[in-house]
Amino acid sequence: MISEIEKKIKEVSFFKSKDPKEIEKFRLKFLGKKGHISYFFSEFKKVKESDKKAYGLAINELKKITLAKLEESKIKGISKEKNNSKFEDLTRPSSILELGSRHPISIIRDKIIDIFYKIGFNISEGPEIEDDWHNFTALNLPEHHPARDMQDTFFINKDPDLLLRTHTSSVQIRHMENNKPPIRTISPGRVYRNEDISARSNCFFHQIEGLYIDKNVSFSDLKQTLIFFTKELFGKSKIRLRPSYFPFTEPSAELDIYWGLNTETDYRITKGTGWLEIMGCGMVDPNVLENCKIDSNEFSGFAFGMGIERITMLLYQIEDIRILYENDTRFLRQFKNSI
Ligand code: DAH
């Protein structure tokens, strides 16, 4: 008797079908009122006392695997039904496609590009992995020059010397090496600094560099260009050029705009002065022109460089730089209608 149950167990384990009719037939054959399992149960009383335990366990095993098989076959049967094109409703509306939004850094970068494009600047780009020459030496920052300490650098390799560019000023050099004046170009891109990550700084960020080289370019050209820019981007034209130092410009300045002191936030972000620092700038140092084989007696020019994150945070009143890199859709969704 037990060997008969074992035969049925084998039969169940070999059963395979996705056809609902076959599955029902299988169910009736084993679990129906007149099926094998109820037959084996009805025979229980005839089994010898000593075999009763093993017999009972065998029937239970048969019942268990029959139920499991039935469940498995039904699931497979349902997925087959789903794949069958007969059941597809072609008139059903499609699922909603949600439009993405542009990242705030991209929005502000493009706004800045558009402003300079209007006054004849083109766009140039350079590599993020730079060599020492383009990032430092050609910019009048020779090896061991203390001004290199202004920018904590991620060095990659010593020979050949490779590093992650610390500023987009390296693109100035590449552009001057490959183009003859007049030059009017802006270079947006990502830069890297070996700095701690906090609400105000990150180990990478974005900059836009500007460069203008021609005959007779003077400091007043720089000033007018910057006034045009601040009016266009911030709607403010009260600026001041505060003396500063950069190795690649002489003289050098820091551009501040008068933000105002209308709200409590204005007091906080301008440290009570009303003035905000926006970018570094100056007249290109003749050494830099000569390094790029441009005659500094014939040509002069100005350059400037600004951080895009800083401006983005100002314009959108973002307090913590890190939120710009988290890509939390709840944050990004808010820029859907910004252009
Ligand atoms: N490269 C500078 C920095 O990362 C910014 C800068 C200052 C760029 C003055 C310039 C410039 O072109 O003239 O801090």
Side-chain angles (χ1 to χ4, degrees):
M1 275 299 251
I2 290 185
S3 64
E4 259 174 64
I5 299 177
E6 276 165 357
K7 255 191 231 158
K8 294 296 168 203
I9 290 178
K10 231 181 221 165
E11 190 184 329
V12 169
S13 60
F14 285 127
F15 174 77
K16 214 176 184 180
S17 174
K18 288 178 192 162
D19 179 358
K21 274 187 201 150
E22 290 276 319
I23 297 170
E24 180 58 10
K25 237 164 115 186
F26 168 80
R27 188 187 71 82
L28 287 173
K29 187 173 168 190
F30 284 88
L31 292 164
K33 263 191 192 153
K34 290 179 187 157
H36 293 307
I37 292 173
S38 68
Y39 167 74
F40 288 131
F41 270 121
S42 68
E43 293 295 287
F44 190 74
K45 48 187 181 294
K46 293 185 195 160
V47 177
K48 267 201 288 175
E49 205 57 38
S50 56
D51 289 344
K52 271 202 159 102
K53 191 174 174 198
Y55 184 86
L57 285 174
I59 303 181
N60 277 338
E61 177 63 18
L62 175 62
K63 193 173 173 185
K64 207 168 90 191
I65 83 153
T66 307
L67 287 170
K69 192 58 145 189
L70 208 55
E71 194 63 23
E72 178 196 315
S73 308
K74 274 185 188 161
I75 290 169
K76 283 189 180 153
I78 287 169
S79 64
K80 185 190 162 207
E81 216 166 86
K82 261 195 179 163
N83 290 337
N84 195 333
S85 61
K86 216 166 59 189
F87 291 94
E88 238 167 55
D89 177 5
L90 298 177
T91 62
R92 205 181 58 203
S94 64
S95 49
I96 294 166
L97 275 182
E98 210 184 325
L99 276 186
S101 54
R102 286 159 74 231
H103 194 282
I105 294 178
S106 305
I107 296 171
I108 298 301
R109 178 201 58 203
D110 292 352
K111 272 192 178 166
I112 298 173
I113 289 174
D114 282 350
I115 294 169
F116 286 105
Y117 186 77
K118 276 192 212 163
I119 49 173
F121 282 72
N122 63 14
I123 299 175
S124 50
E125 286 182 323
E128 291 178 22
I129 296 177
E130 252 312 351
D131 52 41
D132 186 281
W133 170 256
H134 292 97
N135 196 79
F136 290 128
T137 310
L139 284 160
N140 213 20
L141 272 149
E143 213 178 334
H144 308 304
H145 193 291
R148 282 196 179 197
D149 290 347
M150 286 162 77
Q151 301 178 351
D152 274 327
T153 311
F154 285 115
F155 292 98
I156 296 177
N157 203 8
K158 196 81 197 106
D159 191 18
D161 46 40
L162 291 175
L163 46 88
L164 292 178
R165 68 177 176 197
T166 56
H167 50 186
T168 40
S169 303
S170 54
V171 189
Q172 280 189 24
I173 303 299
R174 289 189 175 270
H175 197 77
M176 283 191 278
E177 282 173 344
N178 297 316
N179 296 276
K180 294 262 148 295
I183 288 171
R184 251 176 279 165
T185 191
I186 50 168
S187 327
R190 190 179 298 193
V191 303
Y192 301 82
R193 303 263 173 103
N194 191 358
E195 276 175 18
D196 285 343
I197 299 168
S198 71
R200 312 295 309 167
S201 74
N202 194 37
C203 54
F204 66 84
F205 56 99
H206 300 78
Q207 285 189 334
I208 292 196
E209 188 79 10
L211 179 71
Y212 190 136
I213 310 284
D214 206 344
K215 288 180 178 157
N216 303 318
V217 179
S218 70
F219 200 85
S220 59
D221 296 315
L222 168 62
K223 187 175 164 191
Q224 285 312 313
T225 306
L226 296 182
I227 289 176
F228 173 75
F229 166 71
T230 50
K231 244 193 219 163
E232 290 280 307
L233 188 65
F234 301 102
K236 295 179 195 289
S237 53
K238 188 170 169 185
I239 65 160
R240 74 179 177 198
L241 286 158
R242 188 166 33 85
S244 184
Y245 170 75
F246 297 101
F248 26 91
T249 42
E250 182 58 38
S252 303
E254 213 78 61
L255 167 72
D256 296 341
I257 57 170
Y258 189 70
W259 191 256
L261 283 173
N262 300 319
T263 65
E264 229 175 90
T265 315
D266 293 347
Y267 271 89
R268 197 175 68 249
I269 61 174
T270 66
K271 298 198 178 86
T273 65
W275 291 95
L276 269 181
E277 184 187 313
I278 297 296
M279 66 169 90
C281 59
M283 301 307 291
V284 179
D285 191 300
N287 285 343
V288 176
L289 295 177
E290 297 297 334
N291 284 339
C292 303
K293 308 211 162 36
I294 293 176
D295 185 352
S296 62
N297 293 316
E298 197 184 351
F299 294 102
S300 58
F302 61 76
F304 53 86
M306 65 190 112
I308 305 179
E309 274 79 347
R310 202 179 139 64
I311 294 174
T312 305
M313 289 166 75
L314 264 177
L315 289 173
Y316 290 124
Q317 293 169 19
I318 295 167
E319 300 275 321
D320 190 324
I321 196 171
R322 290 167 291 195
I323 201 169
L324 291 170
Y325 311 119
E326 281 167 4
N327 284 335
D328 185 330
T329 50
R330 288 169 303 177
F331 169 70
L332 295 176
R333 226 178 262 142
Q334 297 174 48
F335 299 92
K336 230 177 197 167
N337 299 320
S338 306
I339 36 158

